[in-house]
């Protein structure tokens, strides 16, 4: 089966570092879903406004690595080390959402905020909660159905231990807007989820995060993120 890219995601995540580990973890950050010219037929979206949430099927387009197996020219691993388990415990690839898999497909549940008609890009979907890199290719969109897709009593495996894990964020002197406004609330939401690999815990180490044209320098000590500097890229 040959998959066709039907749309592309556009948001402020210009680098993999800082992207939410799961969809819906950054509820205030919006992503634009822009369709390829072939799929800019309004009839393909008829009735979509009636759904509050959607499923996105997409590709881990930036996943690279020296995997143990190969499917075509793609690398994948039978076992992976989830960051939330400290990067030391191996589990089966199909027991994780790792990007290093036989087919690098991702699945995300997102909130449909609105449908916009534009002069240059056709009809665009604005969604919230997407855990996608800017420029991610999207292969399909399906409606989310609460009566069949939601399972409140489902077990979460090893993910349960860190489901509610959040850090406090402490700011230095907040920078005044210089030409454009700093997206403080979105940056704070990203930092609170601790974008570091779980095996890194040096309180003196300075990390750098790129988001929406801003470079954020920060360090983490205990359960607190300390923002050191914000600068335009």
């Amino acid at each position: 089966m040959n998959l066709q890219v039907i749309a592309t995601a556009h948001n402020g995540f210009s680098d993999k570092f800082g992207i939410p580990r799961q969809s819906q973890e950054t509820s205030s950050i919006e992503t634009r879903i822009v369709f390829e010219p072939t799929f800019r037929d309004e009839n393909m979206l008829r009735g979509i406004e009636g759904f509050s949430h959607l499923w996105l099927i997409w590709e881990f387009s930036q996943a690279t690595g020296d995997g143990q197996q190969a499917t075509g020219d793609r690398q994948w691993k039978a076992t992976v080390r989830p960051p939330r388990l400290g990067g030391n415990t191996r589990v089966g690839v199909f027991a994780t959402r790792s990007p290093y898999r036989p087919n690098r497909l991702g699945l995300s549940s997102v909130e449909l905020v609105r449908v916009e008609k534009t002069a240059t890009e056709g009809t665009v979907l604005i969604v919230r909660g997407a855990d996608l890199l800017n420029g991610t290719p999207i292969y399909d969109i399906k409606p989310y159905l609460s009566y069949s897709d939601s399972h409140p009593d489902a077990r979460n495996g090893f993910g349960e231990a860190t489901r509610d894990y959040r850090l406090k964020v402490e700011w230095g002197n907040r920078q005044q807007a210089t030409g454009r406004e700093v997206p403080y609330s979105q940056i704070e939401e990203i930092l609170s989820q601790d974008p570091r690999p779980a095996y890194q815990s040096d309180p003196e180490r300075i990390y750098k995060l790129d988001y929406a044209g801003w470079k954020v320098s920060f360090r983490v000590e205990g359960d607190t993120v300390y923002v050191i500097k914000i600068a335009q890229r």
Side-chain angles (χ1 to χ4, degrees), residues 110-182:
V110 298
E111 178 188 0
L112 176 59
V113 179
R114 61 187 180 277
V115 179
E116 287 186 357
K117 293 183 179 181
T118 73
T120 58
E121 298 174 325
T123 303
V124 174
L125 302 181
I126 309 300
V127 302
R128 276 198 292 253
D131 51 342
L132 279 64
L133 182 71
N134 182 55
T136 292
I138 296 173
Y139 291 116
D140 205 358
I141 298 173
K142 301 176 185 292
Y144 174 96
L145 301 176
S146 62
Y147 59 83
S148 64
D149 296 347
S150 176
H151 304 279
D153 298 326
R155 299 192 305 274
N156 296 310
F158 59 80
E160 184 68 29
T162 58
R163 182 179 67 174
D164 300 320
Y165 175 73
R166 291 291 185 275
L167 298 176
K168 295 180 292 185
V169 179
E170 294 286 344
W171 298 87
N173 294 324
R174 288 203 179 195
Q175 169 179 334
Q176 297 299 316
T178 55
R180 57 194 180 91
E181 187 173 351
V182 181

Side-chain angles (χ1 to χ4, degrees), residues 11-214:
N11 55 32
F13 292 112
S14 57
D15 186 80
K16 290 184 291 184
F17 183 65
I19 294 178
R21 290 182 170 87
Q22 308 294 344
S23 59
Q24 293 298 328
E25 289 198 351
T26 52
S27 58
S28 69
I29 296 176
E30 293 187 350
T31 294
R32 291 168 51 83
I33 306 299
V34 179
F35 289 87
E36 295 296 305
T38 303
F39 302 101
R40 291 180 184 175
D41 183 345
E42 289 186 3
N43 291 315
M44 300 184 76
L45 296 173
R46 186 185 300 174
I48 201 168
E49 299 95 335
F51 297 93
S52 64
H53 292 75
L54 304 171
W55 289 110
L56 304 181
I57 300 173
W58 47 278
E59 180 186 0
F60 288 101
S61 55
Q62 299 299 311
T64 58
D66 54 349
Q68 300 168 343
Q69 305 287 338
T71 301
D73 61 349
R74 297 181 175 181
Q75 301 292 327
W76 58 276
K77 301 180 180 181
T79 61
V80 296
R81 296 179 293 184
R84 285 302 195 207
L85 291 182
N88 296 315
T89 302
R90 283 195 173 274
V91 297
V93 64
F94 295 134
T96 75
R97 299 188 177 189
S98 167
Y100 306 110
R101 44 201 326 112
N103 295 302
R104 296 181 298 185
L105 295 179
L107 177 68
S108 298
S109 170
V110 298
E111 178 188 0
L112 176 59
V113 179
R114 61 187 180 277
V115 179
E116 287 186 357
K117 293 183 179 181
T118 73
T120 58
E121 298 174 325
T123 303
V124 174
L125 302 181
I126 309 300
V127 302
R128 276 198 292 253
D131 51 342
L132 279 64
L133 182 71
N134 182 55
T136 292
I138 296 173
Y139 291 116
D140 205 358
I141 298 173
K142 301 176 185 292
Y144 174 96
L145 301 176
S146 62
Y147 59 83
S148 64
D149 296 347
S150 176
H151 304 279
D153 298 326
R155 299 192 305 274
N156 296 310
F158 59 80
E160 184 68 29
T162 58
R163 182 179 67 174
D164 300 320
Y165 175 73
R166 291 291 185 275
L167 298 176
K168 295 180 292 185
V169 179
E170 294 286 344
W171 298 87
N173 294 324
R174 288 203 179 195
Q175 169 179 334
Q176 297 299 316
T178 55
R180 57 194 180 91
E181 187 173 351
V182 181
Y184 285 112
S185 61
Q186 290 94 331
I187 292 173
E188 182 164 330
E189 194 169 10
I190 295 167
L191 293 177
S192 71
Q193 297 176 49
D194 194 356
R196 304 171 302 162
Y199 56 83
Q200 294 181 0
S201 58
D202 182 358
E204 300 303 319
R205 178 166 180 169
I206 306 300
Y207 299 88
K208 295 184 184 298
L209 168 75
D210 287 342
Y211 177 73
W214 296 93

